[in-house]
Amino acid sequence: MLLAHRLKSALICALAAFALLGAGNAFAAEEEVFEVRNIGVDVKAETAAEARAQALREAEQKAFETMLARLTLRQDRPNIPSLSRADIAGYVRDFSVAQEKASSVRYIARLNYRFKPEPIRQLLRAYNVPFAETSSKPMLVLPVFERAANVVLWDEPNPWRLAWQQRDAPDGLVPLIVPIGDLNDIVTIGAADALAGSSLKLATLTDRYAATGSIVAHLNLTVEASTISLLRPFDPIPVEARSAILIQLSGEDMPAFMARAVDDTVSRINELWKRRNLIFNVGTGVLAVTVPIGGLGDWLQIKKQLAGIGIIRHTEIVLLSREQVRVNVHFAGGAEQLTTALEQANLSLLQESGEWLVMPIGAFQPPKG
């Protein structure tokens, strides 16, 4: 009995210590979502000091707007009032300079900003603006270009793929990877198979880049207007969001048009993701779940994964045994958002005989009864 008591005490101490580590992981996950990187500024003024001060003001404003655009739908942003510089400063945790260059009258820099998660959430809730804060796993984008019935993916010229490769660092919740187009990629899949949605070939390419899925972005360039269609074989995109029409502006050259088309498509992909993961102003829910384990190491790993999920506010251990841990999970949003967020952390939420289970994706379910 004494030995069992000591083992139980040691286990509880280990879990308590890991709870602190898990909290750190949660903060790390939040910082990734609430951090805006690579904000570029280029300002001239009468002195270098004035140029730098003005550049920092502009960068802070731009970073704040980028943050709100990342979390919210385009249609809801007009509901957020314009804030003064002093108000915006209150939401900034800190900033850092990635690159800078200055002369006597000019300041050029790229800056990174970190924002305070809870005040940002409170701001959006105050104006009844739904938001998403769950990042997707990386997605692979295959830019298929068509002009005058000539369809290419890897062949040149493909200004559409070039524009994707040259785009700036992403600001959204969906990390997008563009294949490099080496010999392995070329022999794996061609333009026709990509447009046909060849599941096996797309899956092979997706696995090569360690992505969770693929999106075929098909640009059909015509004189009057161009059509950009999205195809995702493993997760059908709603019909109304599959295609968009883009018109080349007067005086806009082809590289500028392609860059704008990429920005529009990236925005559309992020809007689709956010719509599936919106958190409305409904407070925090709680779900009692059971985590089957084979030992303490299993639980520590899953605890770490749970701590890295932004919409999970905190967890409470209700029962601990050698075979399972019962936990109350407090989270923002609904069950669908929680399921999606767990999947991005490689965890699945299953229901077995009326009981909710959380386990690693691909793990065997326990036998019924």
Side-chain angles (χ1 to χ4, degrees):
M1 291 292 293
L2 179 60
L3 178 59
H5 177 72
R6 288 178 178 174
L7 288 173
K8 183 177 180 181
S9 298
L11 182 59
I12 291 174
C13 290
L15 291 172
F18 192 81
L20 297 176
L21 177 61
N25 291 325
F27 291 137
E30 282 186 335
E31 286 176 0
E32 290 180 4
V33 173
F34 290 89
E35 180 179 13
V36 178
R37 303 182 63 83
N38 209 33
I39 294 293
V41 286
D42 184 350
V43 175
K44 290 182 179 180
E46 292 186 1
T47 67
E50 291 178 0
R52 186 178 189 276
Q54 182 180 337
L56 293 181
R57 290 194 296 270
E58 292 182 6
E60 188 174 84
Q61 175 79 33
K62 190 184 300 185
F64 183 71
E65 292 173 354
T66 300
M67 167 57 54
L68 295 184
R70 173 187 293 171
L71 303 179
T72 62
L73 297 176
R74 185 180 303 172
Q75 67 189 40
D76 294 325
R77 283 171 218 147
N79 296 329
I80 307 171
S82 297
L83 300 183
S84 67
R85 181 191 167 214
D87 289 334
I88 292 175
Y91 294 98
V92 178
R93 173 176 288 169
D94 56 43
F95 77 95
S96 61
V97 179
Q99 299 174 10
E100 68 177 346
K101 184 168 60 174
S103 69
S104 59
V105 295
R106 188 178 183 185
Y107 181 78
I108 305 172
R110 289 196 172 274
L111 303 108
N112 305 324
Y113 283 81
R114 294 194 302 171
F115 292 88
K116 302 172 185 175
E118 192 51 39
I120 292 288
R121 295 178 185 126
Q122 291 174 0
L123 170 68
L124 297 174
R125 287 195 292 262
Y127 293 97
N128 295 316
V129 175
F131 59 94
E133 58 175 289
T134 296
S135 293
S136 166
K137 293 179 183 178
M139 295 289 299
L140 193 69
V141 175
L142 280 73
V144 175
F145 179 63
E146 180 176 357
R147 176 165 51 185
N150 182 36
V151 182
V152 296
L153 173 55
W154 312 117
D155 295 336
E156 300 295 348
N158 185 343
W160 180 227
R161 184 162 68 91
L162 180 62
W164 277 94
Q165 291 172 331
Q166 294 178 338
R167 72 190 181 96
D168 290 334
D171 293 321
L173 294 175
V174 185
L176 298 172
I177 302 170
V178 181
I180 60 176
D182 61 10
L183 183 59
N184 285 332
D185 293 345
I186 294 171
V187 299
T188 297
I189 191 170
D193 288 328
L195 291 180
S198 175
S199 299
L200 179 59
K201 294 182 178 181
L202 286 170
T204 300
L205 195 64
T206 298
D207 290 344
R208 178 174 301 143
Y209 287 89
T212 190
S214 60
I215 300 175
V216 178
H218 175 206
L219 171 60
N220 186 4
L221 184 68
T222 62
V223 175
E224 297 81 12
S226 299
T227 303
I228 305 172
S229 303
L230 300 177
L231 169 67
R232 186 177 177 189
F234 305 108
D235 184 7
I237 292 173
V239 174
E240 66 274 13
R242 288 178 189 167
S243 298
I245 295 176
L246 212 60
I247 299 175
Q248 190 169 356
L249 303 176
S250 176
E252 185 179 38
D253 61 18
M254 187 57 66
F257 172 71
M258 288 293 169
R260 184 164 62 89
V262 168
D263 289 342
D264 181 80
T265 305
V266 170
S267 176
R268 194 147 54 98
I269 291 171
N270 275 278
E271 290 282 297
L272 288 167
W273 174 259
K274 283 183 283 190
R275 286 184 183 279
R276 293 179 51 184
N277 293 280
L278 284 178
I279 299 172
F280 293 86
N281 192 8
V282 293
T284 303
V286 59
L287 183 67
V289 303
T290 298
V291 181
I293 60 173
L296 177 61
D298 292 343
W299 165 240
L300 294 183
Q301 176 58 39
I302 291 177
K303 179 73 163 70
K304 180 179 179 180
Q305 290 168 272
L306 292 174
I309 298 174
I311 68 169
I312 294 182
R313 300 298 183 241
H314 67 278
T315 57
E316 300 170 336
I317 297 176
V318 177
L319 181 145
L320 175 65
S321 71
R322 295 178 180 177
E323 294 82 22
Q324 64 181 18
V325 181
R326 294 185 181 177
V327 184
N328 287 336
V329 177
H330 297 258
F331 64 98
E336 183 177 353
Q337 286 86 355
L338 178 61
T339 299
T340 300
L342 287 167
E343 288 174 352
Q344 305 318 301
N346 295 315
L347 296 172
S348 58
L349 180 64
L350 309 169
Q351 194 168 31
E352 183 78 23
S353 302
E355 183 178 23
W356 288 103
L357 306 176
V358 169
M359 61 181 63
I361 289 178
F364 289 105
Q365 296 187 39
K368 294 182 180 180

